[in-house]
Amino acid sequence: MTDTADTADTTAATPGPGPASAPRRSYAKLAADESREDYSLRYAPHAFRRWSPATVAGTALGGIAYLADFAIGASIVFAYGFTSGLAAILTAAAVIFLTGIPIARACATYGLDMDLVTRGAGFGYFGSTLTSLIYASFTFIFFALEGSIMAQAMHQAMGLPVEIGYLVTTLIVIPIVFKGMGALAKVQAWTQPVWLIGLVLPFLVLAFQAPAAWGAFTHFGGTEGAGAGFSWTGFGFGTGIALSLIAQIGEQADYLRFMPAKTAANSRTWKTAVLAAGPGWVIIGAAKQLGGAFLAFAALETVGKTHALEPIAPQIEALRPWLGSFALPAAALFVIVSQVKINVTNAYSGSLSWSNFFSRITHRHPGRVWYIFLNLAIALTLMELDMFAMLGKLLGFYSNVGIAWIAAVAADLVINKRLGLSPPYIEFKRAYLYAVNPAGFGAMAIASTVSILAFFGLFGTYAEAFSTFIAAGLALALCPLIAWATGGKYYLARPNTVTGPGAEVEDITATHTCSVCETAYELPDIADCPVRSGPICSLCCSLDATCGDVCRKAPQAGAVVLPMPTVRRF
């Protein structure tokens, strides 16, 4: 965008015969600077996707360095025993992997983040507003969880009160997140060697110093009397906790949208990178959950249950035989590096989600970076309220909503599009979408409501334990059923004459100048506007508060018809 103003965006388009009926829109300095904004509310153009598939994948995978996996795995195994815990972790990983494949592919193919994909995958323009809040809550919940772990490490290593540590962990990420994808890529690359050494070393020490520990771990019955055998209720509850991580695919998508176009030359590398950086994160995540549970078990007798669930203490105990007095600073360095790597991603993704939410509610966009502070303020509040102590219940509840959302989107991409119940491409622009699409939004609303009632015990113990399975099953079934029952009517409010299936042009990177902000954008980011009698970019269209959505209501004389690129079936 052109940097033309120091205040929030101004001058929404007003209805009239053409472009002369309203002055040019200008954007705030931060909103106009795409080096920081990273196309936060729009399609990521090919001209901006300058990174290689390997670089994008490496940056995305760098964000999964978090140690919440250690705490989550330990809490599951401590509560339900090794056998049930192992089954729960592996089952959750399988669900997350399978639902993540189509979402990762869609984001990388179309250059869209999770919110924009959700809009076109059965939720509608305002229907996806609720999922923006769900996603934002994921980012600040996990920022608070990761920040708590980092504060615990600072307390152990430096004696810093955890309340002050919470503030430090919040402030430290701001300069990095402020600068966007370029800075994030550098931080993830520079810190990766330290993280890898810190991740592997404790297990290497235990392999030599306590080789019998793993065998004993496989017979561990937990700390709550669950026993070492398999329990269906323990399996259900444990899976629900592990499935709270399902929305992580959204954070992976925030990076995958910068994947370069797939070509014959890079096809194999591209597919591998998308698979690894998209759903592939959960393979490492599941291994970390089991590894964290093992380290906590090995340290249980020495540090006690409470500290064993805090990743810093098991790290210290595992390293002590080899590093002695250096075990504490080495463990603290690993924890701090790990938490910075993930919390820059949490803060970045949160700023994108809040931007999407408020742009639709307020029709204003002051810039992505301002929402960093909102997300961090909420996360800091949760840390100060000691949300770490409520880990299991909080994540178990959240997973019911998260999995209903992700399962509905996956159902649209895998089932509805293949059966022709929804358009073969992802339509994300307001100009072509109904406010609410009952296919995805309705499926999520029904599935999450029923599963939450089950989670609170309304339908008995087994339904409570398997509430997340209820959420996933209902969402997967209802999304195509509702799309079929409605004839797919609510996917498109009108035909897309710019990027929808139809006439073809060879170059999808061809640009048109927005008649509102007078900036050139690639074709997928452009809509035809009957109010302006010309092209309009997706963000100017979203921010228009006065047009009355006339483009959706009836064919308009004077609407511009632009050449259309070739659209591949997803």
Side-chain angles (χ1 to χ4, degrees):
M1 289 183 186
T2 304
D3 183 355
T4 57
D6 292 330
T7 57
D9 59 277
T10 59
T11 319
T14 51
S21 63
R24 175 177 181 259
R25 181 189 298 278
S26 59
Y27 286 94
K29 180 180 291 187
L30 292 177
D33 183 0
E34 291 297 354
S35 66
R36 290 191 177 96
E37 192 65 8
D38 282 347
Y39 296 88
S40 61
L41 299 183
R42 60 170 81 242
Y43 161 83
H46 289 278
F48 189 75
R49 300 186 221 172
R50 59 185 182 272
W51 298 276
S52 69
T55 299
V56 175
T59 304
L61 288 174
I64 65 164
Y66 53 85
L67 297 184
D69 272 336
F70 282 39
I72 290 171
S75 67
I76 292 172
V77 173
F78 276 28
Y80 307 113
F82 173 80
T83 304
S84 298
L86 174 65
I89 290 169
L90 295 180
T91 300
V95 172
I96 292 171
F97 187 87
L98 292 174
T99 56
I101 292 173
I103 293 172
R105 184 184 173 193
C107 293
T109 299
Y110 295 104
L112 306 176
D113 65 17
M114 190 68 204
D115 177 76
L116 300 186
V117 167
T118 300
R119 287 186 197 177
F123 281 72
Y125 183 71
F126 276 109
S128 64
T129 305
L130 177 59
T131 65
S132 290
L133 285 180
I134 296 170
Y135 183 32
S137 65
F138 174 86
T139 65
F140 63 66
I141 286 172
F142 277 89
F143 188 103
L145 177 56
E146 307 295 349
S148 298
I149 292 171
M150 187 171 171
Q152 292 161 5
M154 290 179 172
H155 177 69
Q156 287 266 24
M158 297 175 281
L160 189 70
V162 288
E163 292 78 11
I164 303 299
Y166 296 151
L167 180 61
V168 173
T169 63
T170 303
L171 296 177
I172 199 172
V173 304
I174 293 176
I176 303 168
V177 181
F178 195 89
K179 294 182 179 180
M181 175 66 177
L184 293 173
K186 291 177 182 177
V187 167
Q188 299 296 3
W190 293 344
T191 55
Q192 201 73 343
V194 175
W195 179 74
L196 287 172
I197 293 171
L199 179 67
V200 172
L201 189 57
F203 299 99
L204 187 62
V205 174
L206 287 174
F208 283 95
Q209 297 297 129
W214 178 257
F217 178 53
T218 60
H219 294 90
F220 181 51
T223 58
E224 311 296 327
F230 181 79
S231 163
W232 280 107
T233 55
F235 165 70
F237 282 121
T239 304
I241 295 172
L243 279 173
S244 64
L245 293 164
I246 197 167
Q248 177 66 33
I249 189 62
E251 295 197 344
Q252 305 307 110
D254 289 337
Y255 294 115
L256 287 172
R257 65 196 176 106
F258 298 124
M259 194 69 70
K262 185 174 68 171
T263 64
N266 73 2
S267 178
R268 180 175 298 179
T269 303
W270 191 93
K271 290 178 180 177
T272 301
V274 171
L275 187 66
W281 77 266
V282 79
I283 297 174
I284 302 173
K288 286 164 57 189
Q289 288 176 43
L290 291 171
F294 173 60
L295 291 180
F297 165 76
L300 181 59
E301 290 188 5
T302 306
V303 302
K305 176 187 172 182
T306 300
H307 291 300
L309 292 173
E310 300 172 356
I312 179 65
Q315 288 279 328
I316 295 170
E317 293 305 312
L319 294 174
R320 198 183 302 278
W322 282 12
L323 300 185
S325 60
F326 290 102
L328 174 57
L333 175 64
F334 169 66
V335 171
I336 291 170
V337 168
S338 298
Q339 302 317 89
V340 169
K341 284 169 73 66
I342 179 55
N343 267 353
V344 294
T345 297
N346 282 329
Y348 177 71
S349 294
S351 70
L352 298 179
S353 188
W354 285 118
S355 294
N356 275 297
F357 175 76
F358 281 109
S359 69
R360 275 170 284 177
I361 298 300
T362 67
H363 295 284
R364 295 179 64 82
H365 179 52
R368 171 190 68 82
V369 296
W370 294 109
Y371 295 112
I372 297 171
F373 301 100
L374 171 62
N375 211 51
L376 296 185
I378 298 172
L380 179 59
T381 301
L382 289 177
M383 283 189 277
E384 298 292 353
L385 293 174
D386 193 21
M387 68 149 287
F388 193 83
M390 303 177 288
L391 177 64
K393 274 292 183 184
L394 179 63
L395 297 184
F397 170 79
Y398 177 83
S399 65
N400 287 279
V401 182
I403 196 170
W405 164 36
I406 298 298
V409 172
D412 182 83
L413 296 175
V414 174
I415 302 172
N416 295 5
K417 293 195 181 303
R418 294 183 185 277
L419 295 180
L421 298 173
S422 67
Y425 70 107
I426 306 294
E427 181 54 73
F428 67 95
K429 295 179 286 293
R430 172 191 178 188
Y432 305 111
L433 295 173
Y434 281 99
V436 176
N437 185 341
F441 183 82
M444 184 197 73
I446 295 170
S448 58
T449 299
V450 173
S451 65
I452 288 172
L453 292 175
F455 176 77
F456 284 108
L458 188 64
F459 307 128
T461 302
Y462 278 96
E464 180 182 355
F466 287 89
S467 62
T468 50
F469 289 84
I470 294 172
L474 283 176
L476 285 170
L478 288 173
C479 184
L481 282 175
I482 296 174
W484 172 78
T486 57
K489 172 184 176 181
Y490 296 97
Y491 280 91
L492 293 177
R494 65 176 175 125
N496 182 340
T497 61
V498 182
T499 54
E504 299 181 354
V505 297
E506 292 185 359
D507 187 9
I508 199 170
T509 65
T511 61
H512 284 269
T513 300
C514 174
S515 58
V516 180
C517 66
E518 299 179 5
T519 304
Y521 293 101
E522 291 181 3
L523 276 171
D525 205 33
I526 291 291
D528 55 309
C529 179
V531 172
R532 288 287 181 158
S533 296
I536 186 171
C537 71
S538 62
L539 183 54
C540 285
C541 182
S542 290
L543 298 178
D544 198 324
T546 60
C547 69
D549 292 323
V550 295
C551 61
R552 301 178 187 169
K553 297 173 182 177
Q556 297 293 314
V560 67
V561 178
L562 302 173
M564 293 170 284
T566 301
V567 177
R568 279 182 304 182
R569 177 173 288 276
F570 174 72

